Structure formats: C-alpha cells, structure tokens
Amino acid sequence: MMTDAETSLRPHEECGVCGIFGHPDAAKLTYFGLYALQHRGQESAGIVASDGEKITQHKAMGLVSEVFREKTLQQLTGHISLGHVRYSTTGASIAQNVQPFTAVHRGCFLAVAHNGNFVNTLALREELEQRGSIFQSTMDSEIVIHLLARYCDKEIKKAILETFEKIKGAYSLILMTKDKLIAVRDPMGFRPLCLGKLNSATNGYIVASETCALDLVRAKYIRDIEPGEILIIDKDKGLKSLFMPPQSRKSYCIFEHVYFARPDSDIFGINVYKCRKRMGNIMAREIQIDADFVMPFPDSGNYAAIGYSQTSELPLEMGVIRNHYVGRTFIQPTQSMRDFSVKVKLNPVRSFLKGKRVIIIEDSIIRGTTGRSRVRSLREAGVKEVHMCVSCPPHRYPCYFGIDFPSGGELIAASKSVDNIREYLGLDTLSYLSLEGLVEATGQPADTFCLACFNGDYPIPPDTEFHKMALDCC
Ligand code: SF4
C-alpha cells in the first residue's frame, strides 16, 4: 500500500464496480469482489442489497476492510447486490459522494455505481437543474439517476436507452433496481466491464470491472460487456441485451494495460500480465543498454522488467526491497526529512548495488517527483550508472476519461524534453517505449485504443470546463 504522499503523486483510476444477481449471499460476494478491485479506488466503498422488496445499504469513507464488518454484511440481505470502490477524479472526496448513489422516484428504487467520466456533464447538469432537479453531490455519476427519473414513467428499456443516448464520455456502470441488475458500457468501451457465471446452484451472475473479481468468488468468465451494450439481468427474463447506436471506432484505455488493471486480470480480451511482459520484450528490442542487470521499483515495472530481462538476456535482480507494511496512517515526514516517505516503502540493497550499472524499468513518469527521489536513493547506495526505461511513451496530455492525470502543466513531459527529464531525475540515460511498440504489445490494432494522453488525439472532445471545476472542488 502506498503512503499518502505517494498516492498523491501516482496516477489513479477513478473506480471499481461489482454487482451480483441471484445468490442468497449477494452482499458478501460483492464484498469479496470489491476486495479484489481495491486497487481501482481506496477512498470509499459501498454496497447496496435487495431481496426484491427491501433495500439495505452501507457506505463510508475508507478501504473495503475498514468500511465493512461481519455484522454490517449480515444486515445487507437479499439476492441482488451492487458495490463500488472509489478514488475521486470528479467530485470532492467526501461522504456524500460515496457510491453507489441511491434514489427513490415515484416509487422506483434506483442505485448506480460508475467507473469513468462523462464529458458533457456541465451541459446535462444545467439542463436538469433548469427543469427542477436538485443534486445531492458534485459527482457526474448522479446525472444518470436524474435522467432515469425523468423517464421513469416509461418502460425500463426505453428509459435506459434514452438516458444513455444523452450521456457522452467514458462509463462502465452498473444500475440496480429492486429486482434487476443492469450493466452498461459506453459505445467506445473506454473502461473494462465483464460478465461471469456464479459457481452455484442458484443460476446467479456477477458483473465486475475486472476478471480478478470473478476469480475471487470462483465465478466463470462468460464475456466482456460489449461497447454500447446494456445488459439487463432479471429473474424471469434471464439476460437481455440492448445496444446503443454503434460508433465507428473503439477507444479502450491502453493505460489500463500499462498500469491500472491487475496483472491477473484479462482486460479487453488480453491478459494484463502477458501484455506487460511483451512491453518489456519490445522495449529490449527497441532500446539496448550496456549494464550489469535490470531491476524494477516494485511493484511498478515488475512484469515489463521480466520481459526486458528475457529479451536482452541481462539478469533480473531485485535491488530495492519493498516494505509491505506501510499503511495509510503513516505519519508524513517534515520537509527536513526529505525522501523519507520514499525510503520507508522502498529501501535499496546497498551492499549489492554498490558500483553496479543498472537499468530501472518503470511503468510511467507523471510528475517525476517520486522517480527523482528513488534515483537519488540509488545514487546514495553507490550505484555507478542508473539508466531508466519506461514501458509507455511520455505522458504529454491530461486524461478526461476517468484517470486523475494532473493538468497539462503538471505533467513533466508536457513541458520538458526527454533529455531535460533525464537531467531532472538524475539519470545517465532515459528511454521510453514507442507508441507503436506499446500498441504492438497488446496484439490489437491502434484504432482499438484511446491513446490520447500520449498523442493528444481525444476520441471525444472533452468537457475541460467541468473537469477543471471538479478538480477545483476536490
Ligand atoms: S487519455 Fe490515457 S489514461 Fe485516459 S482513457 Fe485515454 S489512454 Fe486511458
């Protein structure tokens, strides 16, 4: 686990979602699913459950293990359940923004759990407020509830289609009514969402952000929710799919493969572990350096480092040791104890590193602050040459689709050349995997992916005003 100082410097995913349908212990399975998805959001967690009539819910700020106790889970009864873990990229990190959002409108109960960002939030919010909607939170996800409430007198399928035809942006979300679970993925498919069959006699299903959640509850992966698909899971009608109008291209977030998703998950039909290793293989082909060995700063870069080592035939070593017991309550050092928060988590093996020429494999450089401290600690340990290879191209543009990359001004590669970054980090050489190499590692064509944070080609024009407003209020 990262310290607070580090968590503010590394990029974050906005959220993870998990829904269970058709199991007597639905809330408990959702809890396990959220545990597997904890890496996608560590600020808050929530679960809503239904037995077809009665709704129960519990949500709070904190990690899944902090928010739920055995007794709390026992009170969340029913065969349908929806859960969410959150890291805020839009909307403040406060209790009223904890998801799933719930509302009752003219007797219809509705809950929503969302991963991603809408890009036409401001216009939709203004329109809804003019028509009398009162928002309880600063989250873009709440818009779904208001839009659905507007169409509440229509048949559910019609209401859902009309709602999502209005919303633009990146969203993988799950809706829950008293008796249905509904999975929705935006037409470009930015964020992952998959469907599994529960290993039980109950004919139940699970929908989750990543396949690692399915593994934990021993569910069988069936398929991904398709881009533009609305999948309704209902006791009487089983699975029923509707589709939004198709888009000419897909925009899967390639950074899920570089950094966010768990290596034991399959994302967009590709295993993350294998993909990260291939990034390392291709980097070794593109970038040759004369050095004694390759090493990651654990855990970032671990799998690309294996790939780089195998192709370059340089040994893979663990030159820094990670302390796994650093919790969130770790007290931040004062300014005079510079680098302390880096060292408490990663400590170099001094006697092994002294006099060596090392290649560090990193998964990304965002602001450069953490990397600079880490390189300094290697120099202090007596490393003779420090080379760094990054398993993706330089991040030059902000993300508006659910990842909290800082504004362009804070991204180090937006304003500095590669050589200036090398100098800032204190490296002998700095190299990045090419964009072509990154796409090649996925085994899929480039137009399958969003590459906007690397090349500035945004698949949908972003709502920069709302994004700025939301970040300001965080
Ligand atoms: S801009 Fe980058 S991080 Fe954001 S969705 Fe696109 S690829 Fe992913």
Side-chain angles (χ1 to χ4, degrees):
M1 190 186 298
M2 284 183 275
T3 63
D4 287 349
E6 284 170 303
T7 50
S8 65
L9 298 172
R10 302 282 288 163
H12 289 90
E13 176 66 71
E14 187 183 2
C15 300
V17 295
C18 180
I20 298 284
F21 186 95
H23 193 285
D25 283 326
K28 211 163 203 174
L29 292 195
T30 303
Y31 165 80
F32 289 129
L34 293 184
Y35 231 109
L37 299 172
Q38 186 76 84
H39 61 291
R40 298 183 76 88
Q42 294 104 44
E43 284 185 359
S44 62
I47 296 178
V48 182
S50 168
D51 62 5
E53 290 299 326
K54 195 177 88 188
I55 303 293
T56 43
Q57 57 179 297
H58 181 74
K59 27 187 203 173
M61 304 298 291
L63 298 170
V64 176
S65 59
E66 294 163 348
V67 170
F68 297 100
R69 294 276 175 271
E70 183 77 40
K71 211 170 140 212
T72 339
L73 287 170
Q74 278 165 5
Q75 287 160 359
L76 300 172
T77 51
H79 62 284
I80 313 175
S81 178
L82 174 59
H84 190 267
V85 284
R86 174 168 188 255
Y87 179 84
S88 56
T89 60
T90 66
S93 177
I94 51 173
Q96 86 201 69
N97 284 344
V98 177
Q99 293 194 36
F101 275 120
T102 56
V104 179
H105 182 73
R106 289 197 232 161
C108 307
F109 169 81
L110 205 59
V112 61
H114 170 210
N115 171 213
N117 270 359
F118 303 150
V119 296
N120 59 338
T121 307
L122 211 52
L124 285 176
R125 209 176 156 118
E126 260 170 35
E127 190 189 320
L128 285 161
E129 280 175 339
Q130 270 173 19
R131 286 169 178 251
S133 295
I134 298 168
F135 281 79
Q136 297 169 34
S137 75
T138 54
M139 293 285 295
D140 59 351
S141 322
E142 196 186 341
I143 281 173
V144 178
I145 297 265
H146 288 277
L147 282 173
L148 278 168
R150 209 164 107 189
Y151 304 127
C152 194
D153 45 352
K154 300 190 180 185
E155 203 233 339
I156 181 98
K157 284 191 241 163
K158 253 190 153 168
I160 292 170
L161 269 174
E162 286 187 33
T163 294
F164 289 102
E165 271 166 19
K166 281 196 154 280
I167 293 173
K168 305 221 171 333
Y171 51 90
S172 277
L173 58 82
I174 309 177
L175 296 162
M176 190 185 114
T177 67
K178 271 186 177 174
D179 57 1
K180 291 180 184 54
L181 201 66
I182 302 158
V184 189
R185 192 163 165 216
D186 73 74
M188 290 189 169
F190 281 90
R191 302 273 148 238
L193 195 62
C194 63
L195 172 71
K197 185 101 181 65
L198 294 175
N199 182 17
S200 73
T202 57
N203 209 18
Y205 292 95
I206 174 171
V207 178
S209 296
E210 291 186 33
T211 58
C212 62
L214 274 53
D215 295 342
L216 196 62
V217 300
R218 304 180 73 189
K220 188 169 171 267
Y221 170 80
I222 300 178
R223 62 178 178 85
D224 282 4
I225 306 298
E226 293 295 322
E229 182 178 1
I230 298 164
L231 176 76
I232 304 173
I233 310 176
D234 181 301
K235 187 167 155 265
D236 302 320
K237 296 177 189 148
L239 304 182
K240 172 99 189 141
S241 287
L242 315 171
F243 285 91
M244 295 175 233
Q247 295 288 322
S248 54
R249 58 170 286 188
K250 306 271 183 292
S251 291
Y252 302 155
C253 171
I254 204 162
F255 205 55
E256 291 273 354
H257 271 291
V258 175
Y259 176 87
F260 286 114
R262 264 176 51 160
D264 48 341
S265 287
D266 290 349
I267 296 290
F268 314 133
I270 315 156
N271 174 256
V272 177
Y273 177 88
K274 286 189 194 164
C275 188
R276 284 188 192 156
K277 246 179 81 178
R278 278 200 297 268
M279 289 170 202
N281 297 138
I282 297 166
M283 250 192 328
R285 198 183 70 203
E286 290 184 349
I287 309 154
Q288 284 106 38
I289 297 166
D290 190 18
D292 296 316
F293 57 83
V294 180
M295 58 174 256
F297 286 126
D299 291 325
S300 59
N302 277 6
Y303 313 101
I306 297 172
Y308 190 100
S309 162
Q310 287 176 349
T311 302
S312 67
E313 297 185 0
L314 285 170
L316 173 69
E317 300 285 359
M318 300 305 282
V320 291
I321 302 303
R322 180 175 172 187
N323 180 348
H324 288 268
Y325 305 98
V326 183
R328 292 202 312 173
T329 50
F330 173 67
I331 297 161
Q332 292 306 303
T334 57
Q335 201 56 41
S336 62
M337 298 157 85
R338 206 170 49 143
D339 296 344
F340 190 85
S341 60
V342 170
K343 280 184 185 156
V344 80
K345 186 183 167 201
L346 294 176
N347 193 35
V349 187
R350 302 178 78 88
S351 57
F352 173 70
L353 289 171
K354 196 162 189 285
K356 300 288 194 330
R357 300 166 306 154
V358 306
I359 303 174
I360 304 294
I361 307 294
E362 264 290 20
D363 54 17
S364 53
I365 301 174
I366 304 298
R367 291 180 176 90
T369 330
T370 308
R372 192 181 193 203
S373 304
R374 288 175 172 181
V375 173
R376 193 186 300 128
S377 74
L378 292 182
R379 295 281 186 204
E380 285 167 8
V383 175
K384 193 167 130 201
E385 285 177 27
V386 189
H387 306 271
M388 187 179 284
C389 294
V390 185
S391 60
C392 65
H395 280 94
R396 297 204 162 97
Y397 305 91
C399 173
Y400 300 102
F401 308 119
I403 307 296
D404 80 328
F405 286 152
S407 63
E410 292 168 272
L411 287 168
I412 191 166
S415 57
K416 287 188 194 298
S417 68
V418 172
D419 197 50
N420 285 344
I421 301 170
R422 178 200 63 73
E423 202 177 323
Y424 174 78
L425 296 181
L427 294 161
D428 291 283
T429 67
L430 170 64
S431 314
Y432 289 86
L433 178 63
S434 68
L435 194 55
E436 296 71 31
L438 175 59
V439 172
E440 186 190 331
T442 66
Q444 296 195 18
D447 64 3
T448 319
F449 293 102
C450 173
L451 306 168
C453 48
F454 304 117
N455 65 8
D457 178 14
Y458 290 100
I460 312 172
D463 184 347
T464 46
E465 270 311 300
F466 176 75
H467 197 74
K468 189 174 167 303
M469 238 174 59
L471 290 177
D472 285 350
C473 78
C474 281

